[in-house]
């Protein structure tokens, strides 16, 4: 009787190409699925996301694999077991401020490990209308605080004649619960396209610094009213402070105008639920702000303090970051006081399938992507071109219908098109139109800015056609 070969995790992780063979694990079993990749009903690119590692985190997203015929199919490719002596070595290090950060999903494309910044790959981003929590993009400026839900308190500074509140989670649950689907987008989404025009300062986000969730929580206006705030000073701002801090004690902070915070129709939330679950640690456990239609930077996570002030938050991220400038402004001439902080975002769309540089089959092409606009403006149309923008066709809009003036969430879109015979390549372009008839600019250069924010030019993807 032959004994089963055993492999270490390192050996498995070095098998990620057709040349080395493509290996995956499930439980303690190791499989060589090189021959199956091209046959995968979900497509080769999705299977390849798991190459060299465990299937579990991916199959948790796609319950379709929870069937006996899938297990039987996989069993045919078994080559051995994981080495049982493959002990997990604890990497805990008290001097490393990031040592206590949570474990993340392996599908995320990491732009920076410390602090953690990562986006879902395009082939997963538009697979679901609601982004599954484990692959929701993550934008952290600091280490993730580890907060105890039992001792957590939210401090709300009282208004004129009112009183300050110190709210436990239980107290927050007593406010009427409000649930809404909201898309969050970082101001730096698609920054990598700006870098191609001229270097910018910031993380190289591709098209994935955007995700959508169903958020549940108390309305900010209800909490502010209980603390004695009214919409009297229209010039006032609601300042939020996070409980994440750097070694000097500086915390993350941001603000929004009081008028938005007090408007029940603006639906600003103190959210404690994300897709029916408590917030994951990376997304602000136990409480974060959700400001529909507004740039991600104002959705303060790990919320510790709320106050109403005559001026915007003095935080670096409100005053010295997340502002737009003309392409001719550089780091020697920039005057951050001269520009307003970004609040509502402009209209945006991007192609997630096929991807730039990909080779596709001739015959027919399926093009997929997302479209969204800030300020509750609904996307009314997405135009797609296969010839670099000479001719256009309207894509089919999918996902939740959006309410007028309260279109807080994205539309996914798709289009099937014949590939003209004899064609060697396609220059696919998309652009969205919102209900104010705002459109995306055609090129990046005229909207280039030193911080690489508000990158919303037509999205272009160049693909080759297999002959
Ligand atoms: C569908 C096998 C890895 C995503 C399927 C189906 C099989 C299969 C047999 C069809 C199931 C049915 O229709 O009843 C496998 C095997 C894998 C693997 C053996 C690993 C060796 C992955 C990974 C992902 C993924 C890593 C995602 C990142 C999908 C999706 C579908 C699917 C989205 C549904 C396709 C559709 O019909 O729309 N897979 N899979 N698979 N798989 Fe996988
Ligand atoms: N809140 C705190 N406390 N700390 C942060 O670093 N990042 C902001 C915002 N809220 C941040 C924060 C930025 S810039 C964005 S884009 C969103 O959170 C990202 O939210 P997500 O990580 O849940 O996707
Ligand atoms: Mo952001």
């Amino acid at each position: 009787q032959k004994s089963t070969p055993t492999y270490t995790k390192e050996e498995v992780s070095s098998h990620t190409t057709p040349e080395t063979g493509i290996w995956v694990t499930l439980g303690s079993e190791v499989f060589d699925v090189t021959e199956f990749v091209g046959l995968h009903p979900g497509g080769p690119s999705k299977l390849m996301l798991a190459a060299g590692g465990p299937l579990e985190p991916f199959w948790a997203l796609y319950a379709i694999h929870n069937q006996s015929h899938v297990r039987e199919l996989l069993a045919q490719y078994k080559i051995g077991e994981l080495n049982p002596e493959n002990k997990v070595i604890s990497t805990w290090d008290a001097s490393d401020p990031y040592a206590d950060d949570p474990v993340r999903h392996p599908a995320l494309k990491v732009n920076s490990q410390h602090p953690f910044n990562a986006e879902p790959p395009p082939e997963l981003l538009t697979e679901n209308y609601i982004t599954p929590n484990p692959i929701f993009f993550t934008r952290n400026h600091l280490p993730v605080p580890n907060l105890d839900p039992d001792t957590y308190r939210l401090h709300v500074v009282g208004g004129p004649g009112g009183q300050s509140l110190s709210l436990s989670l239980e107290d927050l649950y007593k406010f009427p619960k409000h649930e809404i689907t909201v898309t969050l987008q970082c101001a730096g989404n698609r920054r990598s396209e700006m870098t191609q025009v001229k270097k910018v300062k910031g993380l190289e986000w591709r098209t994935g610094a955007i995700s959508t969730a169903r958020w549940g929580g108390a309305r900010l206006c209800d909490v502010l009213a209980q603390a004695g705030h009214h919409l009297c000073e229209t010039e006032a701002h609601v300042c939020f402070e996070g409980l994440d801090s750097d070694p000097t004690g500086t915390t993350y902070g941001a603000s929004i105008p009081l008028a938005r915070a007090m408007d029940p129709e603006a639906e600003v939330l103190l959210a404690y639920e994300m897709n029916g679950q408590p917030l994951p640690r990376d997304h602000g456990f136990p409480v974060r702000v959700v400001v529909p239609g507004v740039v991600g930077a104002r959705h303060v996570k790990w919320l510790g303090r709320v106050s109403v002030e005559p001026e915007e938050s003095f935080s670096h991220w409100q005053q010295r970051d997340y502002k737009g400038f003309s392409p001719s402004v550089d780091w020697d001439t920039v005057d951050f006081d001269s520009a307003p902080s970004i609040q509502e975002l402009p209209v945006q769309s991007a192609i997630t399938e096929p991807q730039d540089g990909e080779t596709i089959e001739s015959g027919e092409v399926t093009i997929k992507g997302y479209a969204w606009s800030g300020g509750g403006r609904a996307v009314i149309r997405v135009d797609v071109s296969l010839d670099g923008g000479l001719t256009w066709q309207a894509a089919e809009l999918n996902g939740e219908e959006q309410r007028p003036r309260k279109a807080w969430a994205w539309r996914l879109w798709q289009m099937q098109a014949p590939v003209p015979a004899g064609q060697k390549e396609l220059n696919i372009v998309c652009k969205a139109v919102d209900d104010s008839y705002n459109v995306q600019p055609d090129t990046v250069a005229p909207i280039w800015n030193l911080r690489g924010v508000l990158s919303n030019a037509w999205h272009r993807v160049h693909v080759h056609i297999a002959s």
Side-chain angles (χ1 to χ4, degrees), residues 35 63 74 109 124 129 157 205 212 234 240 294 302 320 323 392 446:
E35 301 301 314
L74 184 64
K109 299 287 174 212
L124 294 188
Y129 182 73
V157 178
W205 296 108
T212 299
T234 45
F240 306 115
V294 164
W302 313 291
R320 293 285 171 273
K323 292 185 172 187
W392 301 89

Side-chain angles (χ1 to χ4, degrees), residues 8-29:
T8 63
K9 283 196 177 131
E10 289 65 39
E11 275 176 277
V12 174
S13 68
S14 65
H15 289 84
T16 57
T17 65
E19 291 73 42
T20 58
I22 294 156
W23 294 10
V24 294
T25 65
L26 188 70
S28 63
E29 298 181 304

Side-chain angles (χ1 to χ4, degrees), residues 234-254:
T234 45
E235 292 304 304
H237 302 267
V238 180
C239 297
F240 306 115
E241 246 178 64
L243 293 164
D244 46 339
S245 61
D246 71 8
T248 71
T250 305
T251 55
Y252 187 85

